[in-house]
Amino acid sequence: MNLMLTPVETEALLLSLKVSAVAVLFALPLAIAVAMLLARSFPGRAVLNAIVHLPIVLPPVVMGYLLLVTFGLRAPLGAWLNDTFGIRFMFSWTGAALAAGIITFPFQVRAIRLALEAIDPGLMQAAETLGAGSLDRFASITLPLAAPGILAGAVTAYAASLGEFGAIITFVSNIPGETRTLPLAIYTAIQTPGGEAAAARLVLLAIALAFAGLILSEIAAHHLKRINGR
Amino acid sequence: MNIEVRFTHRFPGFELDIAFAVERPGVTALFGPSGCGKTTIVNVIAGLLKPDKGEVRLNGSTVLDTTSGINVPAHKRRIGYVFQDARLFPHMSVRRNLDFGARRTGERLPDGEASAIITLLGLDNLLERKPRHLSGGERQRVALGRALLSNPAALLLDEPLAALDSGRKAGILPYLERIRDEARIPILYVSHSIDEVTRLANDIVVLNAGKIAASGPVEDIMSRLDLFPLTGRFEAGAVLEGHIARHLADEDMTQVVVGRNRFVVPRVGDDPGSALRLRVRARDVMLATKAPRDISANNIIAGKVTGIREDTGPYVDVQLDCAGTVLLARITRMSRTRLAIGHGKKVWALVKSVSVERTPSRQDGRS
């Protein structure tokens, strides 16, 4: 079997890497904020937690449908975004990134929340008595101690993003060079007569990427234990 | 420099009603059994807990007043706080831990003073280490240094030795003594160990079930019979302030003057004239109604019975006035009846052992 990627396949790979990167980077600050919120107790925490984790249990096609009726050009929000800022998610790679970002959001929140909950609250009190205000404490204690967890969450979300299929194809269709990411390219190759070799190459690639992502996230988690002195 | 605290706070099934003041530099012990609210008090002073009602004043300025709604946040109170569990930042080296408060204080300590504190606490060789590579005692010394380098107006120590084994405790006590003698700020020292209190503290605030049972100089509080149940029956005893009269070189003993009495104790290293604190446990004192002779006890002090405290059980505690010095003795009820010991009776106290609880303040200039 020829392992060299064709230009079209390379395009799908690069598009996937780009879509996932944008998805994870834009979701990250929000994921940190939501994780911090979920790490403390307040009324309605269970509800927020359920909403955040909904994308894991919902069928991806349902997520795609929901995105379509929210950000479609005939939907109020989608129309407003298009008219006011010229932002259009429909049939665009940014739409693929939005779908991947939302679907993998729970992975990020979960990892960050675990990292935050592992921080001894006594350290915050100590920092407080040493003259650190709340923003200062966040920057000098919370973020550095949670950093490996944040990294682990981002890497896991990135690897999962690379594999997102159902929501993307439902929301932004399967447009070569625009929304045809790796899984969509695999699907297309399988559907195409004589595309078995291409499909196999892309499947190997997908497995390698997922594997690398999980190993990286494991290394980050290990680092978290070390940095917290355990 | 002073701390004034007055507050009430209600926990489920437990209520605190606290009022006391720390008026002078040196160590004031906050003493009481576990779970009596000691940590709550220091948290209120530090600003980590807002009580239901009350006020806290530091050096005359109000940092908390629930009536007028003043509540200066903890990070602006300039209170050094050493926690029972050190709470060093695990991702920072010892040096960066020490710098943490120093970089955030409005009035930084002069460099010379900062490095003097680091040396005083024996931290010079630990600066590049991470907290996980430190022993428990070293961690507490770093926590102490970190609090001091933030140049606090007052220092709160919440059972800093409680998590250490007895060897490590003994290792860190001399450092605490040095801090006490060098720092010119009030230190509030939370403890449930009367040994630590008598060794370190000038004043003591005795806490019981959420209320202040008594407060005052350690010598006065420790000689009060009515506080025996709180100061610990077994360990209770008189704390005496004195100074070294001379060393008895041949006997390897030291003569200590306390008021108008003289005690001899196993030789102490300090020079004649140095101040010392002696502790005489009530259980180490026997009583005689005639001047005893031909007996091994070296310290036989004449006095008059001024108080007797009876409790359930076979023992009674007897308070003596020995020419102005208060001693306490624990004898059996049986002996008391046999010797007809009552108020005003003249007796001789046979002191079986005296412990030198505190070496003097003048530490510098000696090797």
Side-chain angles (χ1 to χ4, degrees):
Chain A
M1 188 173 78
N2 181 9
L3 283 173
M4 282 300 291
L5 296 177
T6 65
V8 175
E9 290 164 7
T10 310
E11 190 181 53
L13 170 66
L14 293 177
L15 180 67
S16 270
L17 296 176
K18 178 171 84 172
V19 162
S20 296
V22 169
V24 169
L25 287 179
F26 275 80
L28 184 61
L30 193 63
I32 293 176
V34 170
M36 287 188 75
L37 207 57
L38 286 176
R40 55 182 72 187
S41 62
F42 61 95
R45 178 168 87 157
V47 175
L48 178 65
N49 195 42
I51 292 173
V52 165
H53 286 85
L54 214 50
I56 289 187
V57 286
L58 274 183
V61 64
V62 172
M63 286 307 301
Y65 170 81
L66 291 175
L67 286 167
L68 206 53
V69 297
T70 311
F71 293 102
L73 284 177
R74 264 174 283 164
L77 183 59
W80 179 76
L81 282 172
N82 190 34
D83 299 345
T84 318
F85 303 104
I87 298 175
R88 211 170 61 108
F89 290 111
M90 287 287 291
F91 306 122
S92 155
W93 71 269
T94 52
L98 180 68
I102 290 175
I103 297 256
T104 59
F105 192 65
F107 295 119
Q108 300 213 60
V109 172
R110 199 172 184 76
I112 297 168
R113 180 180 161 188
L114 285 176
L116 290 176
E117 284 172 349
I119 298 174
D120 173 7
L123 296 178
M124 296 299 152
Q125 293 191 328
E128 218 175 330
T129 63
L130 290 165
S134 55
L135 261 182
D136 187 353
R137 293 198 295 277
F138 176 72
S140 55
I141 312 291
T142 309
L143 264 192
L145 285 178
I150 294 171
L151 190 66
V155 171
T156 311
Y158 189 83
S161 264
L162 291 174
E164 183 43 39
F165 176 78
I168 291 180
I169 202 165
T170 311
F171 181 34
V172 291
S173 185
N174 185 359
I175 306 164
E178 185 64 38
T179 65
R180 183 175 291 171
T181 56
L182 207 52
L184 275 66
I186 295 172
Y187 173 74
T188 310
I190 294 170
Q191 300 294 311
T192 312
E196 292 83 2
R201 274 200 300 277
L202 292 171
V203 163
L204 280 178
L205 190 63
I207 293 173
L209 283 174
F211 200 61
L214 289 174
I215 286 180
L216 273 178
S217 119
E218 192 57 36
I219 291 172
H222 177 73
H223 194 64
L224 168 76
K225 286 193 189 133
R226 231 175 50 92
I227 207 169
N228 279 345
R230 274 172 291 139
Chain B
M1 298 280 192
N2 62 42
I3 307 171
E4 291 167 74
V5 195
R6 199 170 58 74
F7 74 89
T8 55
H9 190 69
R10 188 189 285 273
F11 290 108
F14 181 59
E15 199 175 333
L16 279 157
D17 186 356
I18 299 297
F20 70 93
V22 179
E23 305 281 6
R24 51 172 174 167
V27 173
T28 299
L30 201 52
F31 176 79
S34 303
C36 70
K38 303 186 296 286
T39 299
T40 304
I41 295 174
V42 281
N43 281 345
V44 166
I45 297 172
L48 298 176
L49 182 104
K50 185 170 176 261
D52 295 338
K53 252 183 91 188
E55 295 153 53
V56 176
R57 262 186 282 279
L58 299 173
N59 297 330
S61 74
T62 304
V63 294
L64 175 81
D65 185 343
T66 49
T67 318
S68 60
I70 298 173
N71 185 12
V72 177
H75 68 276
K76 289 192 177 140
R77 287 199 187 181
R78 294 193 58 220
I79 297 275
Y81 195 146
V82 177
F83 300 86
Q84 192 173 327
D85 50 350
R87 300 191 185 177
L88 301 182
F89 304 126
H91 57 304
M92 298 182 188
S93 64
V94 167
R95 184 193 299 280
R96 285 186 56 213
N97 265 285
L98 290 171
D99 269 350
F100 191 91
R103 281 195 290 127
R104 285 162 176 83
T105 176
E107 297 161 57
R108 233 190 135 120
L109 280 179
D111 277 353
E113 221 169 300
S115 57
I117 289 172
I118 291 173
T119 306
L120 182 101
L121 289 169
L123 302 176
D124 292 284
N125 295 323
L126 306 176
L127 291 175
E128 304 313 323
R129 289 213 210 150
K130 282 282 181 73
R132 65 174 174 277
H133 297 305
L134 300 177
S135 70
E138 288 168 337
R139 274 187 208 141
Q140 278 304 8
R141 270 152 54 199
V142 175
L144 202 53
R146 184 175 68 173
L148 286 169
L149 291 183
S150 70
N151 195 11
L155 190 61
L156 311 177
L157 306 174
D158 186 10
E159 308 230 17
L161 306 182
L164 306 178
D165 58 47
S166 55
R168 295 239 157 82
K169 258 180 211 166
I172 199 168
L173 270 165
Y175 292 105
L176 287 170
E177 286 177 332
R178 282 192 228 166
I179 295 299
R180 172 197 65 204
D181 299 335
E182 305 269 327
R184 288 173 295 275
I185 52 174
I187 299 172
L188 197 57
Y189 186 93
V190 172
S191 181
H192 67 262
S193 149
I194 204 69
D195 277 332
E196 288 170 27
V197 169
T198 51
R199 179 151 172 191
L200 291 169
N202 311 94
D203 296 307
I204 179 170
V205 176
V206 182
L207 209 65
N208 186 38
K211 288 193 167 56
I212 306 288
S215 69
V218 171
E219 313 89 84
D220 298 353
I221 298 294
M222 292 303 288
S223 60
R224 273 175 55 180
L225 281 179
D226 59 316
L227 293 174
F228 261 41
L230 300 176
T231 48
R233 291 194 62 99
F234 188 71
E235 288 299 316
V239 175
L240 311 172
E241 302 282 354
H243 64 269
I244 297 177
R246 63 199 177 95
H247 296 299
L248 311 172
D250 292 344
E251 288 87 359
D252 219 14
M253 299 288 276
T254 295
Q255 196 177 60
V256 179
V257 176
V258 176
R260 280 185 274 158
N261 296 292
R262 273 163 200 276
F263 286 81
V264 286
V265 299
R267 188 177 168 113
V268 184
D270 302 281
D271 297 328
S274 308
L276 273 188
R277 178 178 273 185
L278 303 181
R279 184 153 164 238
V280 183
R281 286 181 180 80
R283 62 182 156 104
D284 292 335
V285 178
M286 291 194 280
L287 296 183
T289 46
K290 294 197 186 95
R293 288 165 49 199
D294 308 328
I295 114 167
S296 68
N298 286 313
N299 296 304
I300 299 169
I301 315 278
K304 221 180 242 165
V305 174
T306 50
I308 297 175
R309 185 195 153 82
E310 295 203 40
D311 214 334
T312 51
Y315 296 101
V316 294
D317 295 311
V318 183
Q319 187 185 48
L320 309 176
D321 175 9
C322 307
T325 303
V326 176
L327 279 181
L328 301 164
R330 177 163 306 154
I331 59 173
T332 56
R333 199 191 301 277
M334 187 176 151
S335 313
R336 180 204 169 184
T337 311
R338 189 161 46 84
L339 298 174
I341 287 173
H343 272 274
K345 177 120 181 159
K346 184 169 171 60
V347 292
W348 282 262
L350 285 71
V351 180
K352 283 185 281 185
S353 86
V354 178
S355 48
V356 178
E357 288 287 357
R358 191 169 71 155
T359 45
S361 301
R362 291 175 288 276
Q363 293 261 348
D364 36 0
R366 284 190 301 119
S367 52

